[in-house]
Amino acid sequence: PSPRRYGLWFRLRKLIIWLLGVYIAIPFLVKLCPAIQAKLVFLNFVRVPYFIDLKRPQDQGLNHTCNYYLQPEEDVTVGVWHTVPAALWKSARGKDQLWFEDALGSSHPVILYLHGNAGTRGGDHRVELYKVLSSLGYHVVTFDYRGWGDSVGSPSERGMTYDALHVFDWIKARSGDNPVYIWGHSLGTGVATNLVRRLCERETPPDALILESPFTNIREEARSHPFSIYRYFPGFDWFFLDPITTSGIRFANDENVKYISCSLLILHAEDDPVVPFHLGKKLYNIAATSRSFRDYKVQFVPFHTDLGYRHKYIYRSPELPRILR
């Protein structure tokens, strides 16, 4: 070979060896520093869309939304958005926080929305869902868990669940006899089942639970995640899944549904590239046979691949109003 060709081959071989070294080193790094794996589960450091002011939901087209800040614990503050039903849009113009809080007592049901990992309460697909639910006559209350968006605190499964419990109790203190539903999406389904299990144990269940794109538990989700390039790596569980458990992260939807006593609706797109469809179906099968649901309706609604709803576009379904009714 010519000297030039030999030089190219040498550099290519050096690059391959370097990449292989990094590939092999990462599992050991994750094992030694479980906090890395926790950050990959939460992705709270990924704030998209960038450069939006969460204090101004009207910038995202939510002119009938008020921004609050609640304090679940000392040194923890969470940012909250409250979107009123479309019927109250005109009345909401120029009103302050007290008016919005009082509006929760109007004769409209309330949905507490628990978003997934990455991004903030101002994420594009989340905002579009708020608009759809508002048009259907719901109050929508959503928030960023501690460590997300402009919320203060360090993320953890326990902390996220406690934040959700605090916001739920805050809603119930203002909503009177109006129905309150809990809607969790993706990682938020883990927070939702944690929350609802706790509510059922204290005998204050919500009126219904809606799980969009749910998984069974975080270990199965991590093992099934299509972006996991290490799933066939020797010792995958020991290197990658055990550190998640060590960090106190379980999000055990499959266990929680055995202790939940309220109506359950599961929505899942067949072409979901993030949470595989079979995990949502498996969770439904566990719930449908659970004794805790024997007096309640459990429904699974799939969305065909041809619809292209994937992981976060189910809000586009024209069937959604009928399904929710």
Side-chain angles (χ1 to χ4, degrees):
S2 68
R4 183 179 179 184
R5 186 177 299 175
Y6 178 80
L8 288 172
W9 165 243
F10 177 78
R11 285 194 292 271
L12 179 61
R13 186 174 62 176
K14 191 174 179 180
L15 177 62
I16 291 172
I17 293 172
W18 183 82
L19 290 174
L20 184 61
V22 171
Y23 179 79
I24 294 173
I26 286 176
F28 290 95
L29 184 63
V30 169
K31 185 65 179 178
L32 291 172
C33 303
I36 295 175
Q37 191 70 324
K39 285 187 176 296
L40 293 176
V41 171
F42 297 137
L43 290 178
N44 59 301
F45 56 90
V46 179
R47 179 170 172 167
V48 289
Y50 295 98
F51 311 119
I52 70 168
D53 185 353
L54 292 171
K55 295 182 177 67
R56 293 179 51 81
Q58 59 268 33
D59 292 348
Q60 311 307 309
L62 296 171
N63 296 321
H64 50 301
T65 298
C66 187
N67 180 67
Y68 309 145
Y69 290 97
L70 303 179
Q71 190 170 18
E73 295 179 306
E74 188 177 357
D75 300 325
V76 174
T77 304
V78 296
V80 181
W81 280 0
H82 171 198
T83 302
V84 296
L88 301 178
W89 283 12
K90 290 183 179 179
S91 302
R93 289 177 181 172
K95 297 301 194 298
D96 60 9
Q97 180 174 333
L98 285 176
W99 183 91
F100 275 83
E101 290 188 33
D102 290 342
L104 285 169
S106 63
S107 57
H108 295 274
V110 185
I111 289 180
L112 171 57
Y113 178 77
L114 305 172
H115 68 66
N117 66 357
T120 69
R121 61 190 183 276
D124 293 342
H125 65 283
R126 295 162 187 163
V127 168
E128 293 306 314
L129 178 63
Y130 312 154
K131 293 176 181 177
V132 169
L133 296 177
S134 173
S135 71
L136 297 178
Y138 297 98
H139 288 276
V140 183
V141 177
T142 187
F143 68 97
D144 281 319
Y145 317 105
R146 60 186 70 186
W148 271 260
D150 58 353
S151 296
V152 177
S154 299
S156 68
E157 180 175 353
R158 186 208 68 84
M160 295 163 72
T161 303
Y162 190 81
D163 294 344
L165 178 63
H166 181 81
V167 177
F168 177 85
D169 287 341
W170 179 87
I171 292 169
K172 289 295 290 183
R174 292 158 177 78
S175 60
D177 295 329
N178 295 330
V180 178
Y181 309 117
I182 293 172
W183 184 313
H185 173 242
S186 193
L187 189 67
T189 64
V191 182
T193 63
N194 281 347
L195 170 62
V196 177
R197 176 176 176 175
R198 184 176 294 191
L199 294 176
C200 291
E201 287 172 347
R202 75 177 195 186
E203 299 183 351
T204 58
D207 292 273
L209 171 62
I210 301 140
L211 301 178
E212 179 188 358
S213 307
F215 48 84
T216 46
N217 58 70
I218 200 64
R219 289 180 71 99
E220 285 198 356
E221 159 59 8
R223 189 181 294 114
S224 304
H225 200 292
F227 302 145
S228 176
I229 61 174
Y230 287 97
R231 73 175 77 178
Y232 303 114
F233 192 91
F236 175 77
D237 283 22
W238 188 78
F239 278 111
F240 291 96
L241 302 186
D242 290 350
I244 297 177
T245 306
T246 301
S247 299
I249 303 172
R250 295 180 66 242
F251 292 115
N253 290 335
D254 50 355
E255 282 298 313
N256 288 338
V257 293
K258 298 175 184 177
Y259 300 91
I260 288 174
S261 301
C262 68
S263 296
L264 172 64
L265 170 63
I266 296 178
L267 311 171
H268 214 134
E270 293 178 355
D271 58 338
D272 191 327
V274 178
V275 180
F277 178 79
H278 74 268
L279 290 185
K281 187 67 174 178
K282 182 177 179 181
L283 181 64
Y284 164 74
N285 290 333
I286 294 170
T289 57
S290 173
R291 291 172 57 189
S292 67
F293 284 106
R294 62 181 178 271
D295 297 324
Y296 300 94
K297 186 174 183 179
V298 180
Q299 187 173 359
F300 181 84
V301 179
F303 295 87
H304 195 271
T305 300
D306 293 345
L307 296 170
Y309 294 155
R310 298 171 67 79
H311 183 60
K312 55 188 182 183
Y313 301 114
I314 286 176
Y315 72 83
R316 295 176 178 173
S317 173
E319 293 296 308
L320 195 57
R322 179 190 60 79
I323 293 167
L324 293 181
R325 279 197 298 272

